[in-house]
Amino acid sequence: VPPNAATPEEALPDPAWAVLQGDSGEQPAAFSCDLPDGRSISVSKRPVAGGGWVATYEDTTHRRQAEARVAHMAHHDALTGLANRVLFREHMQHALARAKRNGRVALLCLDLDHFKSVNDTLGHPIGDALLCEVASRLRQCTRETDLVVRLGGDEFAIVQEGPTQPNNAEALARRLIDALAEPFDINSHQLIVGTSIGIALSDVGTDDTDILLKCADLALYRAKSDGRGTWRFFEPEMDAVAQARRALELDLRQALAGGQFELFYQPLLEANGARISGFEALIRWRHPKRGMVNPALFIPLAEEVGLISSIGSWVLRQACADAVRWPGQLKVAVNLSPAQFRNGMLAREVEEALLGSGLDPKRLELEITENVLLQDHEIVLETLHAVRSKGVRIAMDDFGTGYSSLSYLRRFPFDKIKIDQSFVRGLGDDEEAAAIVRAVAGLGRTLGMAVNAEGVETAEQLAALQALGCGEVQGYLFSPPRPTSEISELLRQYGIASRSPGAIGCVAASTNQAAPHSTLLA
């Protein structure tokens, strides 16, 4: 009872006190009152023998506040304070019911572009701070009637109701993209991420939250595929594309166990084009019904669904088993996916591939891209040093397409630099491309690293590379990637005899295992 209330009657609202003043024959009563000073009082009464009743007054302020906090935590994201999936589903159920009577519901799904690189390079505390700032901007772009949700990670959703759709949803998407494109200042770090948005409307033929969310996700996937930093509305054909992708994924998983993968090899030649120094291993998928599946389709899918590590391990073993049959000291180059560094088993896998095949470690060359060094680079460098200590050569692939190649060359003594084919294509009519090739070739000579130019298709390009100082070349000018069975004939064309008749065409016993690897798409 407040200090200024002389009696319980003065502390309680008139209707509440009237319940206690009722006829003594009434059943026991209980109720709660919220007082003007913010406190909550629970009141109960029970009859006593011989007539009359006993009233109990309990201050439940702290209990009700705790219950309110628990209820809020159950419906809101702990980091950003936005609604969570539980509240999202409850809200969607009511919003879709209202939409049947008046207007439509627009569901916008968005995630941040390049958010993973923030976590990887600056750490999760900076990433968490960025998510909180993103949540703040989302609130500023929306109305009080809109529900802003954090679905998880860097994924958000906004539920927008109203009769003027899709205009309102499109206007909101434009505001969101503009707002999130502005730089974020987080702990003295200026971060630029941006967003992509997928939009689904409740008139797509369903009032089911899960289906509407799936449609918005498909539209988001299309927005990201179309270059990011944009929005797309769901269209029925997107579902057909998703179903086709799902079917391809199922086939890909079966291919790992069904031995449907094989390796093709593209020759590496000395710059004069007269002598083969080795081959680069390239994965191919021969599907029993689809035929030869384009690596540009299944390699990104394998990376996305987590199959690339086992595929890469198979490529490594199979390439070593094939190369040991080649004559002389011909080397084999194998690409490594960033995923192969994450499980900490790469050095052991390389050792097992060499021991299992009997291949001289000096004949194995592993190619990595700068993306490998963006993830936990200390662990990556430790792994690379361990592999190189066995005698294996390490090459930097696609050199010049990243943003910090020179710093990587200082941190690890690569054996080879591979100039990306985009620069080779520009030779002859692009002075900047020629200047880059000349600079890389000079850098390689200074650092004691071999220089390879890939994607050579014309005699003019070859002549330019020779003049600019490249030591090794590869491309369709010399040969496309060829299956193992054709390597023997290719070697004979270059005057190299096979180690034994038919040996080159043999297929290792391990062919019926998994599959290949992450970049070789030539």
Side-chain angles (χ1 to χ4, degrees), residues 11 18 57 64 76 84 108 126 160 192 197 207-208 267 275 302 321 349 356 365 377 389-390 450 460 479:
Y57 301 82
R64 293 187 62 181
H76 293 81
N84 63 11
L108 292 80
I126 297 295
Q160 185 187 63
I192 299 177
I197 302 175
D207 58 359
D208 184 274
R275 181 176 179 276
E349 290 175 355
E365 189 170 271
H377 51 268
S389 69
K390 303 178 188 300
E460 290 76 16
S479 173

Side-chain angles (χ1 to χ4, degrees), residues 253-275:
R253 294 185 182 278
Q254 295 173 359
L256 292 172
Q260 298 172 12
F261 293 95
E262 57 186 276
L263 293 185
F264 278 39
Y265 293 94
Q266 186 173 46
L268 309 172
L269 295 96
E270 295 179 352
N272 58 17
R275 181 176 179 276

Side-chain angles (χ1 to χ4, degrees), residues 193-516:
V193 286
T195 188
S196 303
I197 302 175
I199 308 172
L201 302 176
S202 58
D203 61 355
V204 296
T206 178
D207 58 359
D208 184 274
T209 298
D210 289 329
I211 296 180
L212 199 62
L213 185 59
K214 172 189 173 184
C215 293
D217 277 337
L218 291 172
L220 172 59
Y221 186 81
R222 174 64 63 82
K224 295 167 70 172
S225 299
D226 288 349
R228 302 177 181 269
T230 187
W231 69 89
R232 291 291 182 268
F233 281 91
F234 171 77
E235 298 172 357
E237 60 267 23
M238 293 179 183
D239 189 47
V241 172
Q243 294 299 329
R245 179 186 176 280
R246 175 60 177 166
L248 184 64
E249 178 185 339
L250 293 175
D251 286 352
L252 183 60
R253 294 185 182 278
Q254 295 173 359
L256 292 172
Q260 298 172 12
F261 293 95
E262 57 186 276
L263 293 185
F264 278 39
Y265 293 94
Q266 186 173 46
L268 309 172
L269 295 96
E270 295 179 352
N272 58 17
R275 181 176 179 276
I276 293 179
S277 57
F279 294 89
E280 181 175 4
L282 299 159
I283 184 65
R284 294 295 182 264
W285 180 11
R286 196 183 299 274
H287 190 276
K289 295 182 179 179
R290 298 174 184 265
M292 294 298 285
V293 182
N294 191 334
L297 291 177
F298 74 82
I299 293 296
L301 178 59
E303 291 181 328
E304 185 176 339
V305 300
L307 295 175
I308 199 64
S309 291
S310 55
I311 288 175
S313 296
W314 179 85
V315 169
L316 183 61
R317 295 192 303 272
Q318 189 63 47
C320 289
D322 289 343
V324 78
R325 297 178 173 85
W326 300 340
Q329 291 299 307
L330 291 176
K331 63 190 175 185
V332 61
V334 177
N335 281 265
L336 297 179
S337 165
Q340 290 177 267
F341 287 83
R342 295 182 189 135
N343 60 13
M345 300 294 292
L346 179 61
R348 179 182 296 181
E349 290 175 355
V350 171
E351 184 175 11
E352 291 176 350
L354 292 171
L355 291 175
S357 64
L359 182 70
D360 184 345
K362 296 179 180 179
R363 296 178 61 190
L364 176 61
E365 189 170 271
L366 302 179
E367 299 183 0
I368 69 169
T369 64
E370 290 171 290
N371 289 336
V372 171
L373 293 165
L374 283 175
Q375 54 170 36
D376 296 327
H377 51 268
E378 294 298 337
I379 297 177
V380 171
L381 290 174
E382 181 180 342
T383 302
L384 291 176
H385 280 292
V387 171
R388 196 169 189 267
S389 69
K390 303 178 188 300
V392 177
R393 294 166 55 85
I394 308 294
M396 168 69 80
D397 198 10
D398 299 334
F399 186 81
T401 59
Y403 66 88
S404 55
S405 301
L406 295 180
S407 67
Y408 294 148
L409 295 183
R410 291 183 60 191
R411 301 196 66 184
F412 185 81
F414 288 93
D415 297 286
K416 180 193 290 186
I417 306 171
K418 296 191 69 173
I419 300 174
D420 187 70
Q421 58 184 335
S422 61
F423 300 111
V424 175
R425 283 196 298 266
L427 292 176
D429 54 10
D430 187 342
E431 288 299 324
E432 292 184 355
I436 291 173
V437 173
R438 183 183 298 108
V440 174
L443 182 64
R445 285 193 299 271
T446 302
L447 298 177
M449 301 176 183
V451 177
N452 168 290
E454 52 187 350
V456 182
E457 298 182 352
T458 68
E460 290 76 16
Q461 291 172 348
L462 176 60
L465 291 168
Q466 292 170 341
L468 293 170
C470 265
E472 187 178 76
V473 291
Q474 68 183 100
Y476 275 69
L477 176 63
F478 312 103
S479 173
R482 297 195 182 186
T484 307
S485 59
E486 298 180 11
I487 299 301
S488 180
E489 175 60 30
L490 180 62
L491 291 175
R492 279 194 291 269
Q493 293 175 12
Y494 280 86
I496 303 176
S498 299
R499 178 166 293 176
S500 61
I504 300 292
C506 294
V507 178
S510 61
T511 302
N512 284 334
Q513 291 182 0

Side-chain angles (χ1 to χ4, degrees), residues 70-293:
V70 171
H72 184 273
M73 292 170 60
H75 291 84
H76 293 81
D77 174 55
L79 176 64
T80 63
L82 298 178
N84 63 11
R85 285 181 176 269
V86 175
L87 182 55
F88 165 70
R89 290 188 174 278
E90 293 178 1
H91 183 88
M92 281 293 294
Q93 182 179 0
H94 297 297
L96 290 171
R98 289 189 293 269
K100 293 180 180 179
R101 301 188 299 270
N102 180 28
R104 292 184 288 181
V105 174
L107 176 59
L108 292 80
C109 284
L110 56 150
D111 65 15
L112 304 182
D113 298 332
H114 315 300
F115 175 74
K116 185 177 183 299
S117 64
V118 174
N119 269 344
D120 290 344
T121 57
L122 299 177
H124 288 276
I126 297 295
D128 289 347
L130 174 60
L131 291 175
C132 291
E133 289 297 321
V134 168
S136 177
R137 292 192 187 183
L138 295 181
R139 291 190 188 95
Q140 294 171 10
C141 291
T142 53
R143 307 168 302 182
E144 291 186 2
T145 54
D146 299 332
L147 182 70
V148 184
V149 185
R150 185 188 177 203
L151 296 175
D154 66 327
E155 300 176 359
F156 299 86
I158 297 175
V159 183
Q160 185 187 63
E161 300 180 58
T164 56
Q165 299 290 9
N167 294 340
N168 281 357
E170 185 172 353
L172 175 57
R174 186 178 291 109
R175 291 197 305 272
L176 294 170
I177 287 176
D178 290 344
L180 297 184
E182 293 294 322
F184 292 85
D185 188 2
I186 308 292
N187 291 359
S188 301
H189 296 283
Q190 189 176 70
L191 307 178
I192 299 177
V193 286
T195 188
S196 303
I197 302 175
I199 308 172
L201 302 176
S202 58
D203 61 355
V204 296
T206 178
D207 58 359
D208 184 274
T209 298
D210 289 329
I211 296 180
L212 199 62
L213 185 59
K214 172 189 173 184
C215 293
D217 277 337
L218 291 172
L220 172 59
Y221 186 81
R222 174 64 63 82
K224 295 167 70 172
S225 299
D226 288 349
R228 302 177 181 269
T230 187
W231 69 89
R232 291 291 182 268
F233 281 91
F234 171 77
E235 298 172 357
E237 60 267 23
M238 293 179 183
D239 189 47
V241 172
Q243 294 299 329
R245 179 186 176 280
R246 175 60 177 166
L248 184 64
E249 178 185 339
L250 293 175
D251 286 352
L252 183 60
R253 294 185 182 278
Q254 295 173 359
L256 292 172
Q260 298 172 12
F261 293 95
E262 57 186 276
L263 293 185
F264 278 39
Y265 293 94
Q266 186 173 46
L268 309 172
L269 295 96
E270 295 179 352
N272 58 17
R275 181 176 179 276
I276 293 179
S277 57
F279 294 89
E280 181 175 4
L282 299 159
I283 184 65
R284 294 295 182 264
W285 180 11
R286 196 183 299 274
H287 190 276
K289 295 182 179 179
R290 298 174 184 265
M292 294 298 285
V293 182

